[in-house]
Amino acid sequence: MKRSRDIIISQILEICIGGASKAKIVHQANLNFKTVKPYTDLLINNGLLKIRQGPRIIYETTEKGIELIEKFNKINNELSER
């Protein structure tokens, strides 16, 4: 079954809480390197992810991203109760 765009975005944001490399995102979200880039670019451009520079690039969920996860989870809980 194909996942929706919002499910993938929610998964990426959750994976990046506390920081994650691109490889970790690819592995845990079950994506590939080609498909993960448009998602990370979208999330960065909308202030939901930030990049931490170091020996490697680390993606980290922002406060705004955490708020979106909470809203998304609330909506999913509302829909699953019915």
Side-chain angles (χ1 to χ4, degrees), residues 43-71:
L43 295 171
I44 290 166
N45 290 336
N46 285 287
L48 302 167
L49 273 186
K50 63 182 175 183
I51 295 177
R52 232 182 334 155
Q53 296 288 346
R56 318 184 305 204
I57 293 175
I58 299 295
Y59 298 90
E60 189 170 1
T61 306
T62 64
E63 280 298 315
K64 184 177 175 183
I66 291 171
E67 290 171 12
L68 184 64
I69 292 169
E70 291 169 353
K71 290 175 185 176

Side-chain angles (χ1 to χ4, degrees), residues 14-82:
E14 287 189 20
I15 292 165
C16 292
I17 293 174
S21 66
K22 188 177 279 190
K24 182 176 180 180
I25 298 168
V26 166
H27 178 69
Q28 290 189 0
N30 196 26
L31 297 169
N32 63 50
F33 283 94
K34 185 177 177 181
T35 57
V36 80
K37 181 160 177 34
Y39 285 107
T40 55
D41 288 348
L42 172 73
L43 295 171
I44 290 166
N45 290 336
N46 285 287
L48 302 167
L49 273 186
K50 63 182 175 183
I51 295 177
R52 232 182 334 155
Q53 296 288 346
R56 318 184 305 204
I57 293 175
I58 299 295
Y59 298 90
E60 189 170 1
T61 306
T62 64
E63 280 298 315
K64 184 177 175 183
I66 291 171
E67 290 171 12
L68 184 64
I69 292 169
E70 291 169 353
K71 290 175 185 176
F72 184 77
N73 289 338
K74 184 177 178 182
I75 290 168
N76 277 339
N77 288 338
E78 291 281 327
L79 292 174
S80 66
E81 289 178 2
R82 294 171 191 232

